[in-house]
Structure formats: structure tokens, C-alpha cells
């Protein structure tokens, strides 16, 4: 689904991303963990060609979707009308709009109200539904749990697990280590623009979350 080879991005004299290499197969979830400024969002944008990489390449196979850290949706429109617009624009069967909204636990009453009447968490659910509508093979998520409470995060993790079980590949950047451990098969620890190590997640346990936090602290404290 995704193969990244020797990808780097330089801004002036600063290498925001340096020699990133990763691959993700269908049915696999990979986390991207790093402190603020580690280069996670820049790497994701380079992978999706939203930012031009200085060197290297990213190959994506099949349809993909992207949920940015700060999605912007028109607040005057309803959730249903926004997703129906996506269906028309992308020739997706119209029934997938209501299906995706139901998947993120929005009621039939909620989806016809304008987004300005929504809480932050409800707007995030709409953004997730928008990203998932159309059954993408690769799902790229940058801080997807923003604005969600503990129950909402658990529900969205269930959604991602189902998509993964159906064969979708997932790349997720998040600061919430416990969420990442519950979903991912492995986590790439990123610091100072480099992917420092790949940590396999076998048991999806609290102990593995603590170990990841330890590895992140170690690499973040190292000199670039």
C-alpha cells in the first residue's frame, strides 16, 4: 500500500525530515510517534505530495485518504450534505455517506444539523467519516483523536480496527501513546527529523505503552 524510500525534506539549512524509509502493507497499522517538531506532519505531507520532498520517493498503491491534524469543514452545512458532496465528486455510491456517518456514531438527527451546532468532538467524528467514506485502501491519520473524549477515542479505535481487519493499511500519527499501542502492529519512533527505530507491538499492553514512552524520551533527548 505504501513504500517510502530515502525521503528527505529540507527548509533552508534545516532538514525537517532526513532519509525516512518505511513500508506498510494492507491489513497493517503503523504508528508514527514523536515529540512536537520531530517531523511527523512534514513526513506525512511529503508522502501525500502535499509538500514537495527534497529527495527520495513515496509510492502509494490504490485509493487513499488523509485526515489532517486540523480539518476544516464548512460549518453552515450538515454532516450529511458534506459527505454526499464527496460522494458526488468522487463517484462514490451515495449510500456510503450515511453509512460512514453511522460508523462514527452520529445519529440520524445529528447528521442533518449544521456543523456550527456541533461540539468539537462531533466535528471530529464528521471529519473521520469524511476521510473513511469511499472505503480507501490506505488511511493516513494525523492526530485523529483531537477533541474526542475517552469513550469517543475507544469507539474510533474500534472503527480503525474494523477497517484494518477488512484489509486497509493505516498510518497514524498521534501523541496519545496508549491509543497507538491499542491499534498498531508497530510504531516508528521519530526524533529530530529521523525515524530512529521501529518498535513491534505484540500484546497491545500498558507495559508496551510505557516502553514506547521511554524510547521516545531517549531519542528526543539525543543530539540531532
Amino acid at each position: 500500500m505504501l513504500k517510502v524510500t530515502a525521503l528527505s525534506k529540507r527548509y533552508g539549512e534545516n532538514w525537517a525530515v532526513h532519509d525516512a524509509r518505511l513500508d506498510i502493507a494492507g491489513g497493517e497499522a503503523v504508528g508514527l510517534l514523536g515529540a512536537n517538531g520531530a517531523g511527523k506532519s512534514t513526513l506525512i505531507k511529503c508522502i501525500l505530495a502535499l509538500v514537495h520532498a527534497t529527495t527520495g520517493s513515496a509510492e502509494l498503491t490504490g485509493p487513499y485518504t488523509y485526515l489532517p491534524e486540523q480539518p476544516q469543514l464548512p460549518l453552515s452545512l450538515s454532516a450529511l450534505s458534506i459527505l454526499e458532496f464527496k460522494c458526488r465528486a468522487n463517484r462514490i455510491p451515495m449510500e456510503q455517506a450515511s453509512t460512514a456517518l453511522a460508523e462514527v456514531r452520529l445519529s440520524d438527527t445529528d447528521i442533518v444539523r449544521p456543523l456550527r451546532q456541533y461540539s468539537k468532538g462531533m466535528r471530529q467524528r464528521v471529519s473521520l467519516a469524511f476521510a473513511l467514506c469511499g472505503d480507501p485502501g490506505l488511511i493516513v491519520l494525523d492526530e485523529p483523536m483531537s477533541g474526542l473524549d475517552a469513550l469517543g477515542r475507544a469507539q474510533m479505535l474500534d472503527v480503525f480496527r474494523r477497517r484494518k481487519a477488512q484489509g486497509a493499511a493505516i498510518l497514524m500519527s498521534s501523541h496519545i501513546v496508549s491509543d497507538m499501542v491499542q491499534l498498531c502492529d508497530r510504531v516508528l519512533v521519530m526524533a529530530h527529523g529521523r525515524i530512529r527505530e521501529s518498535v513491534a507491538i505484540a500484546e497491545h499492553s500498558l507495559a508496551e505503552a510505557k516502553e514506547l514512552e521511554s524510547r521516545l524520551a531517549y531519542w528526543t533527548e539525543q543530539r540531532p
Side-chain angles (χ1 to χ4, degrees), residues 4-201:
V4 177
T5 305
L7 191 150
S8 299
K9 176 61 182 178
R10 183 174 67 184
Y11 293 102
E13 298 301 316
N14 177 47
W15 289 93
V17 176
H18 188 76
D19 197 33
R21 302 167 187 266
L22 66 104
D23 59 87
I24 307 176
E28 183 181 25
V30 175
L32 191 59
L33 178 66
N36 291 332
K40 304 185 302 298
S41 292
T42 300
L43 174 56
I44 286 173
K45 291 175 182 176
C46 287
I47 288 171
L48 301 177
L50 299 174
V51 170
H52 181 69
T54 304
T55 61
S57 64
E59 300 176 19
L60 294 86
T61 304
Y64 65 88
T65 192
Y66 169 51
L67 177 66
E69 183 175 1
Q70 296 181 326
Q72 301 293 323
L73 296 174
L75 301 183
S76 61
L77 299 181
S78 71
L80 183 59
S81 63
I82 290 170
L83 265 72
E84 287 181 340
F85 172 81
K86 177 179 180 177
C87 289
R88 287 192 295 270
N90 293 276
R91 299 181 180 180
I92 298 169
M94 291 295 288
E95 61 268 19
Q96 289 201 26
S98 55
T99 299
L101 289 165
E103 187 176 20
V104 300
R105 306 290 189 93
L106 288 172
S107 71
D108 291 343
T109 301
D110 288 331
I111 65 176
V112 296
R113 293 193 290 123
L115 263 62
R116 68 163 60 95
Q117 298 179 11
Y118 282 26
S119 66
K120 183 178 180 181
M122 290 175 68
R123 291 177 189 172
Q124 186 68 6
R125 289 172 186 261
V126 177
S127 298
L128 286 165
F130 187 89
L132 296 173
C133 184
D135 295 326
L138 171 65
I139 303 169
V140 182
L141 307 166
D142 194 354
E143 298 295 339
M145 304 302 188
S146 177
L148 295 174
D149 58 20
L151 176 60
R153 284 165 37 211
Q155 291 171 340
M156 293 310 102
L157 283 171
D158 284 341
V159 170
F160 300 148
R161 289 190 194 98
R162 284 197 299 271
R163 292 300 182 109
K164 177 172 171 282
Q166 293 165 3
I170 299 175
L171 175 63
M172 181 174 78
S173 168
S174 178
H175 288 103
I176 307 174
V177 177
S178 60
D179 288 347
M180 193 170 286
V181 167
Q182 290 182 65
L183 175 67
C184 295
D185 302 293
R186 55 192 167 95
V187 174
L188 307 177
V189 181
M190 195 168 184
H192 310 298
R194 294 177 180 267
I195 296 175
R196 300 293 178 166
E197 67 175 310
S198 176
V199 180
I201 306 298

